[in-house]
Amino acid sequence: MTENSGTRAGLRVGDRVKVHAEGTSVFVIVSVEGEDALVESVDEGAPGRFPFHCKLSRLVPAES
């Protein structure tokens, strides 16, 4: 599979995701580098809100 800039497994920068299928918190993909994504909470009021790295393979698209 050929990867396009910022995409892998159908996930792209700007997509809303959860860190696992049972998760309730929603994050946005800020950037993608190799197997890793930098994600950040979509809730601007979340305490301690900061971007963090997560494996793309663990992310699940969030329902709209």
Side-chain angles (χ1 to χ4, degrees):
M1 175 176 172
T2 303
E3 291 184 12
N4 295 328
S5 176
T7 65
R8 183 177 183 286
L11 296 176
R12 302 177 185 271
V13 172
D15 285 354
R16 290 176 177 236
V17 296
K18 296 179 184 179
V19 294
H20 55 81
E22 293 80 28
T24 56
S25 298
V26 177
F27 302 88
V28 65
I29 298 176
V30 176
S31 66
V32 175
E33 187 172 322
E35 299 287 321
D36 295 318
L38 183 66
V39 299
E40 183 175 53
S41 176
V42 297
D43 181 0
E44 292 185 18
R49 180 177 183 241
F50 58 90
F52 63 93
H53 290 273
C54 188
K55 293 286 185 195
L56 275 169
S57 60
R58 295 186 54 100
L59 298 176
V60 177
E63 298 167 0
S64 298

